[in-house]
Amino acid sequence: MSHQTGTPRQVSEDPSAVDDADCTILHVDMDAFFAMVEVRRRPELRGVPMMVAGAGDGRGVVLSATYEARVSGVRSAMPTSAAVRLCPGIVVVPPDQHAYAEASREVMQVFADVTPFVEPLSVDEAFLDVAGARRRYGRPGFIAATLRERIKTELGLTATVGGASTKFVAKLASSLAKPDGLLLVPPSRVLEVLHPLPLRALWGVGPKTAARLASMGLSTVGEVAAMDLSALTGLLGKATGARLHELAWGRDDRRVADSAAAESSIGAETTFAVDSADPKVLGRELLELADKTARRARMSGVRGRTVSIKVRYEDFTTVTRSVTMPTPTDSSHAVYGRAHELLSKLRASGGGRVRLLGVRLEGLVAGTEVVEQLELGAQDPQPGWREAEIAVDRAVARFGASAIRPAALVERRERS
DNA sequence: ACAGAACCGATCTCTCGC
DNA sequence: TCAAGCGAGAGATCGGTT
């Protein structure tokens, strides 16, 4: 990493060279995760420029690329077509979410062996609080090195680990050390590592916020730290300004959650292979999305009060519409009904061809907290729907026949 | 009575991150 | 020319109440 030249490096594969006693928060990040899972089961891909990328219909993006591909400029979230242009001959592998989910479980199991305080951020990264593991497993630096070793030898994958006394700096450390690296930043070294970095290193600073800060003449974290707090909050809002100022001084009191916080929304969205304005096409997709969303809610044992839809038009402008119901639901039929009403109203007021459609269920509460529906005045006219859907869920779980589900729903979908 | 302020929930957009 | 599919949270706006 170029910004570290000239300063004594805290990087170390030898933890004893660093004062790691306070580096009790580790951030473990798998290297090129999806791509490496593919390489693991198809060894002929090793060392080859390769990417896991979506949709061969020209509308997909890169999900993960090997480092051999990255040297050509290939990056995640880049259009697949652009990646091919940058790296002719690159091997393109379609995504296999099942395989990545399974690999993720393997990795998380390794973490769980070390500490119960594991907070997954996504399929391929997690924070670990190893303060309590010290007695049994040794100092944080040793634990970090051990994790990396186990992931390599037992799982055939590589991971980068960052360690610090705060989440933010631990995550920063891993980003500086990747790929296949380890970086511990003790509290005494935080500011010298942090302040020379570009603004974008601050959690929550994306392109827009960076541009705003640049308009004030700021370009590094250190300059943000030196900034007057009221000037920051004036520019970015109270919450964002205060948070950035704290982070710029390396202060971050978020604890590692022992389990992921409950989700507050569940949704599904999809981009059409071909843009469409056909109500039948849109309606059919909306049904699929509503059912997928509600089914996942039922699986998770949650219900939501707000149904929202998302529509992206061919020119990429995006709008959302939502309704809040008196009672939380997890019924496919109810979600579809609300979503359909929203879409009809939106379509009635114009709009061109649709590129993407999404359905989301928000304001989630645990199913057990929901007082049984259909008390007096409840507006669901068909109390049998939910029971029917649960029966279908069970049948699908047992027989795996996804084909039976849509038919059961489509049959009566125009009723409400 | 009424105008206005203060508040509140719902809705929607924007921004961000993986 | 391109631009997924999730998810979270902040803030603006609007309508309805006190």
Short mmCIF file of all heavy atoms in Angstrom, two decimals, chain A residues 312-345:
data_model
loop_
_atom_site.label_atom_id
_atom_site.label_comp_id
_atom_site.label_asym_id
_atom_site.label_seq_id
_atom_site.Cartn_x
_atom_site.Cartn_y
_atom_site.Cartn_z
N ARG A 312 -37.82 0.76 -11.59
CA ARG A 312 -36.75 1.47 -12.30
C ARG A 312 -37.11 1.49 -13.79
O ARG A 312 -37.36 0.46 -14.38
CB ARG A 312 -35.42 0.78 -12.07
CG ARG A 312 -34.28 1.34 -12.90
CD ARG A 312 -33.11 1.79 -12.01
NE ARG A 312 -32.34 0.66 -11.57
CZ ARG A 312 -31.68 0.58 -10.43
NH1 ARG A 312 -31.72 1.58 -9.58
NH2 ARG A 312 -31.01 -0.49 -10.12
N TYR A 313 -37.13 2.69 -14.35
CA TYR A 313 -37.48 2.82 -15.76
C TYR A 313 -36.27 2.67 -16.65
O TYR A 313 -35.14 2.61 -16.18
CB TYR A 313 -38.15 4.19 -16.00
CG TYR A 313 -39.48 4.31 -15.29
CD1 TYR A 313 -39.60 5.05 -14.12
CD2 TYR A 313 -40.60 3.65 -15.77
CE1 TYR A 313 -40.81 5.15 -13.45
CE2 TYR A 313 -41.82 3.74 -15.11
CZ TYR A 313 -41.91 4.50 -13.96
OH TYR A 313 -43.11 4.58 -13.30
N GLU A 314 -36.54 2.63 -17.95
CA GLU A 314 -35.45 2.38 -18.89
C GLU A 314 -34.37 3.45 -18.82
O GLU A 314 -33.21 3.17 -19.10
CB GLU A 314 -35.98 2.24 -20.31
CG GLU A 314 -36.92 3.36 -20.73
CD GLU A 314 -37.66 3.02 -22.03
OE1 GLU A 314 -37.14 2.24 -22.83
OE2 GLU A 314 -38.77 3.56 -22.23
N ASP A 315 -34.74 4.66 -18.42
CA ASP A 315 -33.72 5.71 -18.32
C ASP A 315 -33.02 5.70 -16.96
O ASP A 315 -32.29 6.63 -16.64
CB ASP A 315 -34.33 7.09 -18.60
CG ASP A 315 -35.33 7.50 -17.51
OD1 ASP A 315 -35.57 6.69 -16.60
OD2 ASP A 315 -35.84 8.63 -17.58
N PHE A 316 -33.29 4.64 -16.17
CA PHE A 316 -32.62 4.43 -14.88
C PHE A 316 -33.18 5.29 -13.77
O PHE A 316 -32.68 5.24 -12.64
CB PHE A 316 -31.10 4.63 -14.98
CG PHE A 316 -30.35 3.44 -14.46
CD1 PHE A 316 -30.33 2.27 -15.19
CD2 PHE A 316 -29.71 3.49 -13.24
CE1 PHE A 316 -29.67 1.15 -14.71
CE2 PHE A 316 -29.05 2.37 -12.75
CZ PHE A 316 -29.03 1.21 -13.50
N THR A 317 -34.17 6.11 -14.02
CA THR A 317 -34.78 6.80 -12.89
C THR A 317 -35.57 5.77 -12.09
O THR A 317 -36.14 4.83 -12.64
CB THR A 317 -35.73 7.93 -13.35
OG1 THR A 317 -36.74 7.37 -14.20
CG2 THR A 317 -34.98 9.01 -14.10
N THR A 318 -35.56 5.96 -10.78
CA THR A 318 -36.13 4.95 -9.89
C THR A 318 -37.10 5.60 -8.93
O THR A 318 -36.81 6.65 -8.37
CB THR A 318 -34.99 4.28 -9.08
OG1 THR A 318 -34.01 3.80 -10.00
CG2 THR A 318 -35.53 3.13 -8.26
N VAL A 319 -38.27 4.99 -8.76
CA VAL A 319 -39.22 5.49 -7.79
C VAL A 319 -39.66 4.36 -6.88
O VAL A 319 -39.59 3.19 -7.23
CB VAL A 319 -40.47 6.11 -8.45
CG1 VAL A 319 -40.09 7.31 -9.31
CG2 VAL A 319 -41.20 5.08 -9.28
N THR A 320 -40.09 4.73 -5.68
CA THR A 320 -40.64 3.73 -4.76
C THR A 320 -42.01 4.22 -4.30
O THR A 320 -42.27 5.42 -4.25
CB THR A 320 -39.75 3.53 -3.53
OG1 THR A 320 -39.69 4.75 -2.80
CG2 THR A 320 -38.35 3.13 -3.92
N ARG A 321 -42.87 3.28 -4.00
CA ARG A 321 -44.18 3.60 -3.44
C ARG A 321 -44.46 2.60 -2.33
O ARG A 321 -44.06 1.45 -2.43
CB ARG A 321 -45.28 3.49 -4.50
CG ARG A 321 -45.21 4.56 -5.59
CD ARG A 321 -45.52 5.94 -5.01
NE ARG A 321 -45.51 6.95 -6.04
CZ ARG A 321 -44.44 7.65 -6.41
NH1 ARG A 321 -43.28 7.43 -5.81
NH2 ARG A 321 -44.54 8.56 -7.36
N SER A 322 -45.14 3.04 -1.29
CA SER A 322 -45.40 2.11 -0.19
C SER A 322 -46.75 2.37 0.46
O SER A 322 -47.30 3.46 0.36
CB SER A 322 -44.28 2.22 0.86
OG SER A 322 -44.24 3.52 1.40
N VAL A 323 -47.25 1.35 1.10
CA VAL A 323 -48.46 1.48 1.92
C VAL A 323 -48.23 0.77 3.23
O VAL A 323 -47.55 -0.24 3.30
CB VAL A 323 -49.71 0.80 1.31
CG1 VAL A 323 -50.39 1.69 0.35
CG2 VAL A 323 -49.39 -0.55 0.75
N THR A 324 -48.81 1.31 4.28
CA THR A 324 -48.72 0.69 5.59
C THR A 324 -50.10 0.16 5.97
O THR A 324 -51.09 0.87 5.85
CB THR A 324 -48.22 1.70 6.63
OG1 THR A 324 -46.92 2.14 6.26
CG2 THR A 324 -48.17 1.07 8.01
N MET A 325 -50.12 -1.08 6.41
CA MET A 325 -51.38 -1.74 6.75
C MET A 325 -51.57 -1.71 8.26
O MET A 325 -50.61 -1.55 9.00
CB MET A 325 -51.33 -3.20 6.28
CG MET A 325 -51.03 -3.35 4.80
SD MET A 325 -50.63 -5.05 4.34
CE MET A 325 -49.05 -5.28 5.12
N PRO A 326 -52.79 -1.87 8.70
CA PRO A 326 -53.06 -1.85 10.15
C PRO A 326 -52.44 -3.04 10.86
O PRO A 326 -52.07 -2.95 12.03
CB PRO A 326 -54.58 -1.88 10.26
CG PRO A 326 -55.11 -2.10 8.89
CD PRO A 326 -54.02 -1.93 7.90
N THR A 327 -52.32 -4.15 10.16
CA THR A 327 -51.83 -5.38 10.78
C THR A 327 -50.66 -5.95 9.98
O THR A 327 -50.73 -6.01 8.76
CB THR A 327 -52.94 -6.45 10.80
OG1 THR A 327 -54.14 -5.86 11.27
CG2 THR A 327 -52.56 -7.60 11.69
N PRO A 328 -49.60 -6.38 10.64
CA PRO A 328 -48.48 -7.00 9.92
C PRO A 328 -48.91 -8.29 9.23
O PRO A 328 -49.76 -9.02 9.77
CB PRO A 328 -47.45 -7.28 11.01
CG PRO A 328 -47.88 -6.49 12.19
CD PRO A 328 -49.36 -6.33 12.09
N THR A 329 -48.33 -8.57 8.11
CA THR A 329 -48.70 -9.78 7.38
C THR A 329 -47.46 -10.52 6.89
O THR A 329 -46.39 -9.92 6.75
CB THR A 329 -49.60 -9.45 6.18
OG1 THR A 329 -50.07 -10.67 5.60
CG2 THR A 329 -48.82 -8.69 5.11
N ASP A 330 -47.63 -11.80 6.62
CA ASP A 330 -46.60 -12.56 5.92
C ASP A 330 -47.24 -13.37 4.79
O ASP A 330 -46.69 -14.35 4.32
CB ASP A 330 -45.84 -13.48 6.89
CG ASP A 330 -46.74 -14.52 7.53
OD1 ASP A 330 -47.95 -14.55 7.22
OD2 ASP A 330 -46.24 -15.30 8.36
N SER A 331 -48.42 -12.93 4.40
CA SER A 331 -49.15 -13.66 3.36
C SER A 331 -48.76 -13.20 1.96
O SER A 331 -48.77 -12.01 1.66
CB SER A 331 -50.65 -13.44 3.57
OG SER A 331 -51.36 -13.56 2.35
N SER A 332 -48.44 -14.15 1.12
CA SER A 332 -48.09 -13.82 -0.27
C SER A 332 -49.23 -13.08 -0.94
O SER A 332 -49.04 -12.11 -1.67
CB SER A 332 -47.80 -15.10 -1.06
OG SER A 332 -46.67 -15.76 -0.55
N HIS A 333 -50.43 -13.56 -0.65
CA HIS A 333 -51.61 -12.97 -1.27
C HIS A 333 -51.78 -11.52 -0.87
O HIS A 333 -52.05 -10.65 -1.69
CB HIS A 333 -52.83 -13.79 -0.86
CG HIS A 333 -54.12 -13.27 -1.40
ND1 HIS A 333 -55.06 -12.65 -0.60
CD2 HIS A 333 -54.61 -13.25 -2.64
CE1 HIS A 333 -56.08 -12.29 -1.36
NE2 HIS A 333 -55.84 -12.64 -2.60
N ALA A 334 -51.59 -11.24 0.42
CA ALA A 334 -51.75 -9.88 0.90
C ALA A 334 -50.66 -8.97 0.36
O ALA A 334 -50.92 -7.84 -0.07
CB ALA A 334 -51.74 -9.86 2.43
N VAL A 335 -49.43 -9.47 0.36
CA VAL A 335 -48.32 -8.65 -0.14
C VAL A 335 -48.53 -8.35 -1.63
O VAL A 335 -48.37 -7.21 -2.08
CB VAL A 335 -46.97 -9.35 0.09
CG1 VAL A 335 -45.84 -8.58 -0.60
CG2 VAL A 335 -46.68 -9.47 1.58
N TYR A 336 -48.91 -9.38 -2.35
CA TYR A 336 -49.14 -9.17 -3.77
C TYR A 336 -50.27 -8.17 -4.01
O TYR A 336 -50.18 -7.30 -4.86
CB TYR A 336 -49.45 -10.49 -4.48
CG TYR A 336 -49.87 -10.28 -5.92
CD1 TYR A 336 -48.96 -9.81 -6.86
CD2 TYR A 336 -51.18 -10.52 -6.33
CE1 TYR A 336 -49.33 -9.59 -8.17
CE2 TYR A 336 -51.56 -10.31 -7.64
CZ TYR A 336 -50.64 -9.83 -8.56
OH TYR A 336 -51.01 -9.62 -9.84
N GLY A 337 -51.34 -8.31 -3.23
CA GLY A 337 -52.47 -7.40 -3.39
C GLY A 337 -52.07 -5.95 -3.21
O GLY A 337 -52.38 -5.09 -4.04
N ARG A 338 -51.31 -5.66 -2.13
CA ARG A 338 -50.89 -4.29 -1.88
C ARG A 338 -49.94 -3.82 -2.97
O ARG A 338 -50.02 -2.71 -3.47
CB ARG A 338 -50.16 -4.18 -0.52
CG ARG A 338 -51.02 -4.48 0.71
CD ARG A 338 -52.28 -3.68 0.67
NE ARG A 338 -53.31 -4.56 0.17
CZ ARG A 338 -54.36 -4.98 0.84
NH1 ARG A 338 -54.57 -4.52 2.05
NH2 ARG A 338 -55.24 -5.81 0.32
N ALA A 339 -49.01 -4.69 -3.33
CA ALA A 339 -48.01 -4.31 -4.34
C ALA A 339 -48.70 -4.01 -5.67
O ALA A 339 -48.36 -3.06 -6.38
CB ALA A 339 -46.99 -5.43 -4.51
N HIS A 340 -49.70 -4.81 -5.98
CA HIS A 340 -50.41 -4.64 -7.24
C HIS A 340 -51.17 -3.31 -7.26
O HIS A 340 -51.17 -2.60 -8.27
CB HIS A 340 -51.36 -5.81 -7.47
CG HIS A 340 -52.00 -5.81 -8.83
ND1 HIS A 340 -51.29 -6.09 -9.97
CD2 HIS A 340 -53.26 -5.53 -9.24
CE1 HIS A 340 -52.08 -5.98 -11.02
NE2 HIS A 340 -53.30 -5.65 -10.61
N GLU A 341 -51.78 -2.98 -6.14
CA GLU A 341 -52.47 -1.69 -6.05
C GLU A 341 -51.49 -0.53 -6.26
O GLU A 341 -51.79 0.43 -6.98
CB GLU A 341 -53.13 -1.54 -4.67
CG GLU A 341 -54.35 -2.43 -4.49
CD GLU A 341 -54.73 -2.61 -3.01
OE1 GLU A 341 -54.20 -1.86 -2.16
OE2 GLU A 341 -55.56 -3.50 -2.72
N LEU A 342 -50.35 -0.64 -5.62
CA LEU A 342 -49.36 0.43 -5.75
C LEU A 342 -48.90 0.57 -7.20
O LEU A 342 -48.77 1.69 -7.72
CB LEU A 342 -48.16 0.14 -4.85
CG LEU A 342 -48.39 0.28 -3.35
CD1 LEU A 342 -47.21 -0.31 -2.57
CD2 LEU A 342 -48.60 1.73 -2.96
N LEU A 343 -48.65 -0.57 -7.81
CA LEU A 343 -48.15 -0.52 -9.19
C LEU A 343 -49.22 0.03 -10.13
O LEU A 343 -48.92 0.84 -11.02
CB LEU A 343 -47.71 -1.91 -9.65
CG LEU A 343 -47.10 -1.95 -11.06
CD1 LEU A 343 -45.82 -1.12 -11.12
CD2 LEU A 343 -46.81 -3.39 -11.49
N SER A 344 -50.46 -0.38 -9.93
CA SER A 344 -51.54 0.10 -10.79
C SER A 344 -51.67 1.61 -10.70
O SER A 344 -51.81 2.30 -11.71
CB SER A 344 -52.87 -0.55 -10.40
OG SER A 344 -52.79 -1.94 -10.57
N LYS A 345 -51.63 2.10 -9.47
CA LYS A 345 -51.76 3.54 -9.28
C LYS A 345 -50.60 4.28 -9.96
O LYS A 345 -50.80 5.29 -10.61
CB LYS A 345 -51.78 3.86 -7.77
CG LYS A 345 -52.49 5.16 -7.45
CD LYS A 345 -52.30 5.57 -6.00
CE LYS A 345 -52.84 4.56 -5.00
NZ LYS A 345 -52.61 4.99 -3.61
#
